[in-house]
Amino acid sequence: MRILFAVATLALIAACTNDKPTPSVDLTYDDAERVVVENFTAVWPVRPTVTTSRGPGCGTNAAGMSEGPPWAAIMSEDVYNPSQEFIDKTLANLEAMTAHGFSRRPDAVPGDDPVNRSYEDERGFSIAVGRYAGASPDGVKFGVTAKGPCIDE
């Protein structure tokens, strides 16, 4: 299950990683970060306890590690053993993002938990939901990650 979590996380950030990074939108990092927070709080059904961070670099160095600039803002929060009501509300909020230009991406891991899904808009902002059983001794991990496009500044 840890492998599935890693694959899902990499699938979310992979849209921004390439050998020759190029910014995908004309925004400042601060503007992109603000949008990431707005997207995250629209989906996460309770007040977030986390803040954004400068996410992975959008380039790849000779060792195959991500590096920047450009950078992508990212905001992610997880809970363990959430109620079905919490999961259902999160998924409903995520689906509601289609009214704001988001569309569902194809599943990165075919046959994975049906709760796991990600959405993206034309500007490169993405939101993903994942549930991972067996990834932790604490129980079932459920989380949301919002990420912005690559910003070159």
Side-chain angles (χ1 to χ4, degrees), residues 13 18 32 36 58 64 68 74 97 118 134 139:
I13 64 174
N18 58 44
V36 166
C58 297
I74 192 165
M97 294 300 284
S118 64

Side-chain angles (χ1 to χ4, degrees), residues 22-144:
T22 54
S24 56
V25 293
D26 187 23
L27 288 174
T28 66
Y29 184 85
D30 289 342
D31 289 339
E33 186 177 51
R34 180 186 48 76
V35 173
V36 166
V37 170
E38 290 171 1
N39 292 342
F40 183 90
T41 56
V43 174
W44 194 246
V46 295
R47 183 183 173 115
T49 61
V50 297
T51 59
T52 60
S53 64
R54 191 166 287 250
C58 297
T60 306
N61 65 22
M65 304 296 292
S66 72
E67 64 179 13
W71 303 97
I74 192 165
M75 186 171 183
S76 184
E77 187 162 0
D78 300 316
V79 294
Y80 288 92
N81 306 311
S83 68
Q84 188 60 48
E85 179 183 7
F86 187 93
I87 293 170
D88 292 344
K89 179 67 175 166
T90 304
L91 294 177
N93 292 346
L94 181 60
E95 181 61 29
M97 294 300 284
T98 59
H100 302 282
F102 282 81
S103 56
R104 189 168 175 179
R105 287 199 245 164
D107 291 336
V109 182
D112 197 14
D113 188 319
V115 166
N116 299 347
R117 58 194 73 180
S118 64
Y119 288 66
E120 187 172 30
D121 73 4
E122 327 182 306
R123 300 176 300 164
F125 289 91
S126 61
I127 310 168
V129 171
R131 176 172 61 186
Y132 310 97
S136 168
D138 296 325
V140 175
K141 181 178 179 178
F142 178 79
V144 170

